[in-house]
Amino acid sequence: MLVIENLTRQYGDRRALDGVSLRIEPGSFVGVIGRSGAGKSTLLRLLNRLAEPTSGRILHGTTDVTALRGRRLRDWRARCAMIFQQFNLVGRLDVMTNVLMGRLSHVPSHRSLLRMWSEADRAMALAALDGFDMGQFAAIRADQLSGGQQQRVAIARALVQEPEIILADEPVASLDPRNTRLVMDALADVNKRYGITVVCNLHSLDLARAYCDRLVGLVAGRVVFDGRGFDLTEDVARRLYGLEAGEVLDDEPAAPALRPLPACPIREAAIGA
Ligand SMILES: Nc1ncnc2c1ncn2[C@@H]1O[C@H](COP(=O)(O)OP(=O)(O)OP(=O)(O)O)[C@@H](O)[C@H]1O
Ligand SMILES: [Mg+2]
């Protein structure tokens, strides 16, 4: 269980995250939603300790994640893999080597420096690539792949890290609809098949509802919704997205209440009268 207690991050006079408390069950797929600047990336960065909280704590089992230093902090970072919007692969290296980078925390440093990967590491990397239909690209330079392919390689790299948690920060924000589905399916697969907890920032409520067991909605660094997608009412959506609500919901078949009401003959007649 990942327990977030009253987590706050202040930047100057701005609170990027403001007293957030959450309990995240192992194996869950949590979507973090909210408009730009709501604090979604800050939350993930704090969980991974890429940023330090101003106050509050993160606990994982009996470990106080916020107090980790040195080797134990590096171990924590290996246990919660990050996926970024811009994939963060090394473009000039081949796909296989990029995936093997995910093994770095598991091999002695002299071997990793010389890129002396064991057969077992290679087999694991290839299996991860094959799992996302990317094995055929193992020898290709990463910068020759499409965005969707690169993101699937990034997920394979995260997987060979053998993480307990994957933190995905808008993993599909740069992708077309087909690749969006492939990448979200890859994350769902990792979650369901290996029981890895996924915490995923998403701008689209549509996607969040389709893929996540639980949605956490942030407004100005605070949690204003925590529940299942279909429990998220139109009022909450408007609060979460403000003027952007139309943008994130218009193409959303699961939110018919936000579509313009069909013409009602009785009302029309009343207005006409
Ligand atoms: N390193 C930083 N220095 C100063 N302010 C920051 C920093 N990181 C985040 N902020 C501020 O904290 C707030 C939350 O930012 P954050 O990036 O977490 O939002 P977000 O929900 O991820 O937005 P987006 O959807 O645009 O990615 C914003 O007002 C942002 O300007
Ligand atoms: Mg962000």
Side-chain angles (χ1 to χ4, degrees):
M1 174 86 78
L2 187 63
V3 178
I4 300 167
E5 287 181 352
N6 211 9
L7 205 60
T8 294
R9 171 70 215 214
Q10 189 99 20
Y11 288 110
D13 55 5
R14 184 185 294 264
R15 283 210 166 168
L17 214 63
D18 190 1
V20 166
S21 295
L22 295 168
R23 299 170 74 84
I24 297 177
E25 300 278 348
S28 53
F29 194 137
V30 180
V32 182
I33 54 172
R35 73 178 96 164
S36 183
K40 305 181 295 296
S41 297
T42 302
L43 176 60
L44 293 203
R45 290 169 59 78
L46 290 172
L47 289 176
N48 189 263
R49 289 281 310 276
L50 287 171
E52 295 298 316
T54 307
S55 60
R57 282 202 310 174
I58 301 160
L59 304 168
H60 185 247
T62 54
T63 306
D64 181 352
V65 170
T66 19
L68 296 176
R69 302 279 174 270
R71 168 88 217 178
R72 296 194 65 213
L73 175 56
R74 286 197 297 280
D75 287 347
W76 170 250
R77 290 199 174 124
R79 285 160 69 193
C80 53
M82 287 285 285
I83 307 270
F84 301 92
Q85 178 179 341
Q86 290 308 332
F87 329 125
N88 289 23
L89 300 181
V90 184
R92 67 191 160 73
L93 295 181
D94 63 50
V95 163
M96 183 72 168
T97 307
N98 270 280
V99 176
L100 284 165
M101 296 295 191
R103 296 298 297 158
L104 284 181
S105 61
H106 292 271
V107 301
S109 53
H110 70 276
R111 264 182 46 206
S112 62
L113 281 175
L114 296 171
R115 304 227 177 98
M116 290 167 52
W117 310 104
S118 69
E119 277 311 306
D121 286 334
R122 287 180 174 281
M124 189 183 204
L126 198 55
L129 283 169
D130 274 337
F132 305 126
D133 219 8
M134 291 297 297
Q136 60 198 299
F137 299 107
I140 305 256
R141 267 175 67 130
D143 58 10
Q144 315 229 316
L145 300 180
S146 75
Q149 291 170 332
Q150 288 192 48
Q151 195 61 299
R152 282 181 283 156
V153 173
I155 296 171
R157 180 181 58 186
L159 190 58
V160 302
Q161 233 174 284
E162 299 184 272
E164 285 167 58
I165 303 169
I166 288 184
L167 304 169
D169 194 354
E170 309 244 15
V172 294
S174 315
L175 304 181
D176 63 23
R178 181 175 166 274
N179 279 299
T180 291
R181 210 177 55 249
L182 288 172
V183 165
M184 290 307 296
D185 284 349
L187 284 174
D189 189 55
V190 162
N191 171 249
K192 300 287 175 282
R193 197 189 310 205
Y194 303 101
I196 297 173
T197 307
V198 176
V199 183
C200 184
N201 289 352
L202 288 166
H203 190 74
S204 156
L205 185 52
D206 189 4
L207 275 184
R209 275 178 166 148
Y211 282 92
C212 306
D213 313 324
R214 172 184 175 193
L215 302 186
V216 171
L218 296 178
V219 172
R222 288 172 176 262
V223 176
V224 301
F225 178 80
D226 184 355
R228 286 174 302 178
F230 56 80
D231 291 331
L232 196 148
T233 62
E234 183 183 344
D235 276 355
V236 177
R238 291 209 181 281
R239 197 166 160 214
L240 280 171
Y241 291 101
L243 294 174
E244 295 170 38
E247 185 191 314
V248 293
L249 290 162
D250 260 347
D251 56 349
E252 167 48 90
L258 279 175
R259 295 183 181 286
L261 289 169
C264 166
I266 298 173
R267 194 181 57 214
E268 305 290 286
I271 294 167

